[in-house]
């Protein structure tokens, strides 16, 4: 009986430590909690402001992509990479994740560098009240320019 109580006590202590660690992570990185995170994995969502923000973000990427990277990528055989970019409400980049590789290391390495190197706009006030982080997933296609689908 005493051994059973000790096992339950150990289990409760472990659970308390996990909760404390999760709370500490949420304080260090408020968006890590996922409570105010939205994922846009395509071009359609009932929230029109979210779609407009994502489309404007994609256009900025397409218009500011270095021409030499696009030309070099278009010459090589590659698969369209799929990339998820997490943007915080202040416009900073939380993460860039290559979900599906292009098969060309130079392209896969350049995309996160370029996204981090660009300036991104903060969310409009109405969106900032709703979300801390928006995750935008797009397929990147290189031909005469880069196009995000």
């Amino acid at each position: 009986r005493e051994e059973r109580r000790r096992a339950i006590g150990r289990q409760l202590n472990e659970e308390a430590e996990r909760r404390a660690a999760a709370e500490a992570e949420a304080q260090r990185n408020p968006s890590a909690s996922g409570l105010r995170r939205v994922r846009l994995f395509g071009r359609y969502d009932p929230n029109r402001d979210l779609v407009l923000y994502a489309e404007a973000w994609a256009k900025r990427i397409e218009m500011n992509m270095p021409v030499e990277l696009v030309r070099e990528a278009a010459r090589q055989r590659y698969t369209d990479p799929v990339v998820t970019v997490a943007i915080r409400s202040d416009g900073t980049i939380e993460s860039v994740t290559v979900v599906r590789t292009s098969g060309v290391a130079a392209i896969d390495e350049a995309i996160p560098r370029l996204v981090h190197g660009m300036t991104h706009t903060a969310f409009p006030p109405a969106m900032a009240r709703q979300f801390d982080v928006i995750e935008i997933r797009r397929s990147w296609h290189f031909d005469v320019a880069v196009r995000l689908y």
Side-chain angles (χ1 to χ4, degrees), residues 32-52:
S33 66
L35 295 176
R36 292 174 28 112
R37 177 180 296 264
V38 65
R39 292 172 176 88
L40 184 63
F41 292 167
R43 293 179 175 258
Y44 304 103
D45 192 85
N47 187 332
R48 186 172 185 268
D49 292 336
L50 178 63
V51 172
L52 290 174

Side-chain angles (χ1 to χ4, degrees), residues 1 7 10 13 16 23 26 34 43 61 74 91 95-97 100 109:
R1 186 177 223 185
R10 283 192 298 271
N13 287 341
E23 287 173 9
R43 293 179 175 258
I61 294 287
S95 66
V96 179
T97 308
R100 183 179 67 204
E109 293 167 2

Side-chain angles (χ1 to χ4, degrees), residues 8-89:
I8 291 171
R10 283 192 298 271
Q11 182 181 2
L12 291 173
N13 287 341
E14 290 171 4
E15 289 174 5
E17 289 171 5
R18 280 194 297 265
R19 277 194 305 274
E23 287 173 9
E25 177 63 25
Q27 288 176 353
R28 277 195 316 262
N29 186 1
S31 63
S33 66
L35 295 176
R36 292 174 28 112
R37 177 180 296 264
V38 65
R39 292 172 176 88
L40 184 63
F41 292 167
R43 293 179 175 258
Y44 304 103
D45 192 85
N47 187 332
R48 186 172 185 268
D49 292 336
L50 178 63
V51 172
L52 290 174
Y53 181 85
E55 289 301 314
W57 173 83
K59 286 295 176 207
R60 258 191 318 282
I61 294 287
E62 292 172 354
M63 300 303 281
N64 293 311
M65 187 63 62
V67 176
E68 58 277 356
L69 173 69
V70 174
R71 286 185 185 149
E72 185 61 32
R75 287 188 199 120
Q76 301 179 31
R77 269 186 86 143
Y78 72 95
T79 305
D80 288 348
V82 176
V83 180
T84 300
V85 178
I87 306 170
R88 293 187 188 108
S89 61

Side-chain angles (χ1 to χ4, degrees), residues 25 29 31-32 37-39 41 57 61 82-99 108 111-118 120 123 132-138 140:
E25 177 63 25
N29 186 1
S31 63
R37 177 180 296 264
V38 65
R39 292 172 176 88
F41 292 167
W57 173 83
I61 294 287
V82 176
V83 180
T84 300
V85 178
I87 306 170
R88 293 187 188 108
S89 61
D90 63 356
T92 59
I93 300 298
E94 181 180 273
S95 66
V96 179
T97 308
V98 177
V99 178
D108 294 342
I111 290 173
R113 260 196 332 269
L114 291 167
V115 171
H116 280 291
M118 297 176 79
H120 305 279
F123 297 174
D132 290 328
V133 177
I134 295 175
E135 292 181 10
I136 303 171
R137 180 176 291 177
R138 295 291 165 92
W140 294 51

